[in-house]
Amino acid sequence: MAEEKGSVEQFGYKQELHRTLSLWDLTVYGLLFMVIIAPHSIFGYVNRDAQGMAPLVYLVGFCAMFFTALSYVQMAKRFPIAGSVYSYVQRGVNPHVGFLAGWLILLDYVFVPSLLYIFVGNWCQSLIPQIPGWVWILIFIAVNTAINIKGIETTARVDMFFFVVEIGIVLIIVIGGLKYVLGGGGAGELTMTPIYQADKVNLTFIATACTIAALNFTGFDGISTLAEEVSEPEKNVGRAILIALVVIGTVFFLQTYIVCLIEPDYNKFNASTALFDACAVAIGDWFRIVLLVVNILAVGIANTLNAQAACSRVLFSMGRDRLLPGALAKVHPKFRTPYVAILLIGVVSLACTIIFTDEQLTKLVNFGAISSFMMLNLAVIWFFFVKEQRRSGMDLVNYLVYPLAGTLILLYVWSGFDHLTQILGFSWLAVGIVFGYIKSKGYKEVPDAFKKSMM
């Protein structure tokens, strides 16, 4: 009897997670994972490096990641299962290469919650100095872990609340900023200067912009980790990825464009607080406090909540294939969530905030994400173009041109990592190669589910 299209049974698994999310839920999840207001904390640095053209940098970043997003769409259609790049490369190339892709993406998914908790702890301590940062970190870890264990529906409801709040903040910035500028403040008019300056934009500028902005868009891939908890995953996962990426690119561009108009001099404010300071000038000092509080909650709950959810699904997927300890595949009998994996992420997040600095974690997260994205693009070429020989018409574009463009862009970004980051990243990969060798008994055994699906 043929398995239903889009079901996990056709891939050798049992449907254990609660399939309850809609396309809208998945899209909002992706938007909050990437953080609608992400430019707020780094705008000053981006705008300074872009010589006042932060909006252009975000536009370039969107274009750079769009090709990789298309690769995710193709793999999500063919393999609508949890595990993201791990599952896609496993099925598209082979289980052993898939394990290494999953091992690399863990650098991103395991460490990104820790990185976000460090940011939030520092922000909270600056707001309320009497309470140490580690206390705030413990509180946020406990809250997010509890919400994630309770169920993906609870996560979706929390996401919806923060989605409304963050969109409200964006509207205040846009409307308040336009009112200020058109009233004679800042640039005094709508201008193309923040978008394009002929004497500054060249191939070197575009290349630098890729390295700055492409990493700001990582997170859209987290949508694919929820494939087994969404209705019609073969359609909705890909749609959600593209919708979320287009929306987030538009919102990033719009926010930064308005702020550049509010204060055209990119050297005037302190880089760490430039957007907050500009908004305070245009809208009022009260809004600076509002922005800080919203950023704390958006990153501390919405962003880290979704990052923890994504990581737990990758661990769940690798655990049920017995490539990681099988306990990670345990599903809560009531809430139908991978609760062991969720708890582990909470513990690891706490430990990493003690062991690593935010700079170290940032580099490791980026190395893991970019490396695994390149493997995904190459998997699309191998599976569709080489193995299935789909090479005519648009197939040539979809399965060779787009993923190859994505690979080359990411390779350039990857080459920009410093020597220490590459050493740490390759050391992590080396551990994964040895671990995978042991688990697969010399790279000979493959997961049972993979063997079943091939019969």
Side-chain angles (χ1 to χ4, degrees):
M1 185 179 190
E3 301 291 355
E4 180 186 354
K5 184 180 179 182
S7 69
V8 298
E9 284 80 6
Q10 66 177 310
F11 299 104
Y13 300 116
K14 177 183 177 183
Q15 179 68 49
E16 295 181 276
L17 303 181
H18 196 187
R19 196 180 287 283
T20 185
L21 299 178
S22 65
L23 172 62
W24 173 251
D25 293 328
L26 209 57
T27 302
V28 171
Y29 169 88
L31 289 171
L32 291 176
F33 199 153
M34 288 184 281
V35 188
I36 295 170
I37 54 177
H40 292 194
S41 57
I42 60 173
F43 168 79
Y45 301 104
V46 174
N47 202 40
R48 182 189 61 194
D49 292 344
Q51 302 176 71
M53 290 179 285
L56 177 60
V57 168
Y58 281 105
L59 180 60
V60 171
F62 165 78
C63 295
M65 298 308 296
F66 187 72
F67 294 108
T68 297
L70 291 176
S71 290
Y72 267 94
V73 170
Q74 298 300 336
M75 288 308 225
K77 286 180 183 177
R78 182 59 69 91
F79 307 112
I81 51 178
S84 186
V85 69
Y86 158 68
S87 296
Y88 298 155
V89 177
Q90 178 201 63
R91 302 285 170 160
V93 182
N94 70 53
H96 308 307
V97 179
F99 169 77
L100 294 179
W103 185 261
L104 281 171
I105 200 66
L106 285 178
L107 264 181
D108 178 5
Y109 285 170
V110 169
F111 290 139
V112 75
S114 306
L115 174 63
L116 297 172
Y117 285 127
I118 290 176
F119 287 157
V120 171
N122 292 337
W123 292 342
C124 287
Q125 190 169 10
S126 69
L127 191 63
I128 309 176
Q130 296 83 355
I131 302 179
W134 65 266
V135 174
W136 292 110
I137 290 173
L138 277 176
I139 292 172
F140 280 107
I141 289 177
V143 169
N144 288 332
T145 301
I147 293 173
N148 266 318
I149 288 177
K150 189 171 182 183
I152 201 66
E153 304 99 320
T154 304
T155 302
R157 286 194 292 269
V158 173
D159 281 350
M160 186 55 61
F161 170 78
F162 280 102
F163 175 76
V164 172
V165 171
E166 291 182 40
I167 288 296
I169 288 294
V170 171
L171 288 175
I172 293 175
I173 292 174
V174 172
I175 295 172
L178 281 175
K179 184 178 178 181
Y180 174 77
V181 171
L182 297 179
E189 61 178 349
L190 301 182
T191 173
M192 289 292 292
T193 303
I195 302 174
Y196 184 75
Q197 298 175 35
D199 60 325
K200 297 178 181 177
V201 177
N202 50 40
L203 289 178
T204 302
F205 178 92
I206 296 298
T208 303
C210 279
T211 62
I212 297 172
L215 302 176
N216 286 267
F217 287 89
T218 57
F220 69 86
D221 54 297
I223 291 173
S224 62
T225 65
L226 303 185
E228 292 179 31
E229 293 159 275
V230 62
S231 59
E232 299 184 280
E234 69 281 357
K235 293 191 299 184
N236 288 334
V237 171
R239 289 175 181 173
I241 286 174
L242 290 182
I243 293 171
L245 191 60
V246 170
V247 170
I248 207 75
T250 302
V251 173
F252 283 179
F253 178 87
L254 190 59
Q255 288 180 89
T256 53
Y257 175 68
I258 295 298
V259 176
C260 284
L261 293 180
I262 293 173
E263 182 45 70
D265 182 0
Y266 57 87
N267 286 316
K268 183 174 181 179
F269 296 127
N270 185 298
S272 64
T273 60
L275 186 139
F276 297 92
D277 294 337
C279 287
V281 169
I283 301 169
D285 285 332
W286 64 271
F287 193 57
R288 187 203 305 269
I289 302 299
V290 171
L291 282 180
L292 182 58
V293 172
V294 170
N295 271 272
I296 288 172
L297 294 177
V299 174
I301 295 182
N303 192 201
T304 46
L305 180 70
N306 291 343
Q308 188 181 39
C311 183
S312 65
R313 270 60 177 181
V314 174
L315 292 176
F316 164 80
S317 186
M318 296 178 78
R320 73 180 171 186
D321 280 340
R322 296 298 187 266
L323 294 174
L324 292 179
L328 294 172
K330 287 188 176 181
V331 175
H332 196 284
K334 179 180 179 181
F335 302 125
R336 296 177 66 182
T337 53
Y339 71 102
V340 174
I342 293 170
L343 286 170
L344 177 63
I345 292 303
V347 173
V348 170
S349 295
L350 178 60
C352 287
T353 61
I354 299 171
I355 298 171
F356 298 104
T357 66
D358 54 352
E359 183 178 1
Q360 291 170 329
L361 288 173
T362 298
K363 292 176 179 178
L364 289 173
V365 164
N366 291 337
F367 183 95
I370 298 302
S371 300
S372 59
F373 287 175
M374 286 193 290
M375 294 182 72
L376 174 77
N377 281 310
L378 294 174
V380 170
I381 296 173
W382 177 259
F383 182 77
F384 293 103
F385 187 77
V386 176
K387 188 176 179 181
E388 293 196 337
Q389 297 187 359
R390 299 179 62 173
R391 303 172 182 175
S392 60
M394 280 304 295
D395 284 350
L396 179 67
V397 176
N398 290 330
Y399 306 132
L400 179 63
V401 177
Y402 288 161
L404 184 59
T407 301
L408 293 175
I409 291 169
L410 292 170
L411 184 61
Y412 177 80
V413 175
W414 184 91
S415 68
F417 289 126
D418 61 75
H419 191 57
L420 179 59
T421 299
Q422 292 187 351
I423 290 175
L424 292 174
F426 278 116
S427 297
W428 174 266
L429 178 60
V431 172
I433 291 172
V434 173
F435 187 78
Y437 183 88
I438 295 171
K439 290 292 289 185
S440 64
K441 297 181 179 178
Y443 288 116
K444 295 177 181 177
E445 292 188 353
V446 299
D448 291 339
F450 183 84
K451 288 188 287 189
K452 274 173 40 179
S453 66
M454 294 294 105
M455 293 179 180

